[in-house]
Amino acid sequence: MSEKAPLLHYRLSTRGDDPDTDAVVVDTGPRTSRSGRGSGKSPKKLGMVFGVVIPTLLSMFSVVIFLRVGFVVGQAGLFESIAMFLVAYLIITVTVLSVCAISTNGALDAGGAYYMISRALGPEFGGSIGIMFFFANVCGSALYILGLVEAIMSAFGVPAATNALIGAGPQQILPSGYWWSLFYGTALLFICFIVCLVGAHIYAKATFIIFIIVVTVLVSIFVSFFIMKPLEVKLHDASVHSNSSLLTGNFTGLQLRTLESNLLPDYKVDYTTGTMMNFATVFAVMFNGCTGIMAGSNMSGDLKNPSYSIPRGTLAAVVTTFITYNLLTLLAAWSCERHLLQRDYSFLGDINIWPPLVTVGIYSSAMSAAMSNLIGASRILYALSKDGLFGGILAPAKKTSRSGNPWASVLVSWLLVQVVLFAGKLNTIAGIVTIFFLLVYAAVNLACLALEWASAPNFRPSFRCFTWHTCVMGIIGCLVMMFLINPINASASIAFMLLLLMLIHYLGPMSNWGFISQALIFHQVRKYLLMLDVRKDHVKFWRPQVLLMVANPRSCIGLMTFINDMKKSGLYVLGHVKIGLLDDLPSDPLQSSYDSWLSLVDHLNIKAFVNLTLAESVRRGVQNLLFITGFGGMRPNTLVLGFYDDCVPEDRLRGKILKSAGCRLDAAGSTEGLSELRTPFFPNVRGPIETKDFQEVEYVSVIADAVKMGKNVILARDFHRFHRDTVIKSGKKMGRKSAAGQYVDVWPLNLLRPDHRGYVDTCSLFLLQLASVLHDSRAWNQVRLRLFLCVESECRMQEVEEAKLRVMLKELRISAQVHQVAWDQVVALHWQKQRSSGDTRVSGESERSVAAEEAAAEEDVQRKFPTNAAQLTDDYIGAVNHLIRQHGAPQPAVRFLYLPRPPADTNRYHAYLHQVDLLSRDLGPTLLIHGVTPVVTTDF
């Protein structure tokens, strides 16, 4: 789906036939016929009067002004009638303000209100409302045809058998009955179909002629109220539904006594349907006279300048009809007895100076309104089919003539109107049509409200006579009136709209229209980020906010999905450093990579941001990301790195095809690139003989930098062997009552500091917190935690230590199995080395002179950088590694190990990395964790 001219494209050009050769011409791209073929002759466009004012006036006058003014006054009285018009016009006026604002904000294509809503609120909301608006116009067209048939039968139809007491006039020769009425309606609808099928220019000429007729009739009606003398009118449409025996009604002329008797409401049974009237039902019928405000907007694709014509033409029509309706209401209440108003809806013809003239006006306005709704429905259907929201279902409706007239949409609309004609009763359809139009009006106000609240710089309509208050007023007014008219129909229509919305969301294609939700989210996120004060941070509300450094996504799929499970609704950022300098490049090489990264995020279904940087070294790039990633209180507090070893990376994306959900807009709004299936654009994984981007010292320096910056550090090893699906399936099969299943092993002791026996330090608690966070995630809640407590078998304090640990776990609300691990023999290796080193110093006095400089340097380093890790042997670390593997049955899904702080002496970086490598070798997926921030508390 593409948007034609999403923004105006400007071109400076001159016209040979323009006297002003310096004029600036606004061009919206090459002109093509709507069928997709070039046309030598572009279709004629309509101006404001013929395209907006006249269609809107005729749609709003229509049947209501001739057949329902007396009905409204007779049932509701003058006061409530005026109140109804005020409420109705308040709702439509604020809606018109919203329409004016949207229509004057950039280019406007075919579809009218549907186009405005869909481009503002997105395809889901726009498509569902578009279908509702289409059906509203279809039902509206049927409504006016039925009104016309009712008027014809009133004047020329043979009275029914139930009205045999009333003699038939010489002109009443047409057969009556349901099927005859259906036949007449079908014939009239076919005439409207032929006019709309020819094209918009013929429709405009026809409506202009009808407009002249209607204006003439209205003038005669106003004159008649003043010059006609009092007379008695036969109620030739009396019905058995009424209990009254009066067969006549009186036109008294302008008398105060008549006005006083018509001030208050007097609801009675409607003689055409036999239904008891009330405020809601009368308002539903009356409101149909106001629903024509979209007649001009529906013609947006056929207008020369929609942004100019729609606001001015619609407002002019609304003001004119409001004055006309209220004047007619006042004059009818001032001159006609209530019985006449309630029992003869065509009384305006009976009291006119020339009665046939009103009949001509009724027929003309009804035909015009029916045509207006029919052509409006066809334009909406054509816009829906062009956008492809419903796939191939609406594809046939896209066919057009060489002049651009969507004849297929006109045909489909005509057939649907014909189906609605079977309902047969004017007032029955009126309530449904009113509900649909009110829902569309509410959506237009919502679209304008969303654009206003989003505060997007590109929303700057030239029409500024609106605020968010008017939009909210319009939404509330429409919804309230919907439920006042018919709560059941209102609820059903909203449910139908939501059903369509979900269908389009899950089954419809992607669009490049832009999403108002993104603008609203940005606006709100910015506001709340400013409110997120880092000075108010508290350990009780700590959550992991992770920056995962990814060298190549092809080899990091397992780790990326695992960290997504461990983030606990916190910030998750995928970071990548590309080596290079911007000075040496013509443009930023990273911009073209974002789409592939975001497509990968969608493919993996992870909730992560992507942040790429260009730097001269990996260390400098990581520093940059740690400094600049995030905003305010949403900044990474934990850095995750892959492990530095000789493992050859595996390509986990080989043969994978990613679906890109991104949208690339070119100048013409092309659909190229939408929902595109593509192979991920990432470099190939490093081969066995290829060198790495950085060396061991730089790798440890990155760890040290992060610790200095107050960031927690996690080293992830062997996650190429991690398969999340296996863990999840194992958890589901395990069940809560089974003893077998996956485990997460936690070793909270610093195993590279055998002389340090404490379990309650910042790093250990951070390690326990992360294990608990992982266990609490939905995918890992079936996995069990195993906590290993290293003790010496001869130590008398082992039971006390275990009891303290269990109390701490209980206070921290962490559920874990505690296992004691005797490591006397492992620790003995370390102390034996210490004693042997001391003996060597005593017995090797003769050798001191040979290595005096080395010993002095060693002692100097130890004084400056005291660390026990420097004195560890490979035998001891290997024994610790064997101990971990020995207590790893069954094989855990992940292991959590204590990562010591990097040495301060950079000369020890190689030894540090070597020791960590020996410690974690062949353990399977392992996290080596160093925490520097407090993360747990029992103070709640």
Side-chain angles (χ1 to χ4, degrees), residues 46 51 53 79 84 135 149 189 226 288 297 366 391 414 418 428 432 448 475 490 509 621 778 782 796 870 901 922:
L46 305 176
V53 177
F79 290 157
M84 287 182 183
F135 283 127
V149 171
L189 178 62
F226 292 95
N288 280 281
S297 301
W414 168 65
Q418 181 63 58
T428 303
I432 300 174
C448 187
I475 295 172
R778 181 177 302 176
Q782 301 287 357
R796 300 178 180 178
R901 185 187 181 99
D922 299 327

Side-chain angles (χ1 to χ4, degrees), residues 687-744:
I689 60 175
E690 296 182 33
T691 59
K692 299 181 181 180
D693 291 336
F694 64 136
Q695 301 303 314
E696 296 178 352
V697 174
E698 188 178 3
Y699 177 79
V700 181
S701 299
V702 170
I703 302 173
D705 293 342
V707 174
K708 292 176 183 177
M709 297 169 67
K711 310 296 183 183
N712 310 296
V713 178
I714 301 177
L715 306 184
R717 184 169 192 178
D718 287 340
F719 270 82
H720 62 281
R721 296 159 56 183
F722 174 78
H723 298 280
R724 182 176 182 271
D725 294 339
T726 304
V727 177
I728 295 176
K729 291 179 181 178
S730 175
K732 290 180 179 179
K733 293 179 180 179
M734 176 183 68
R736 294 186 179 275
K737 297 182 179 180
S738 175
Q742 292 283 349
Y743 290 91
V744 173

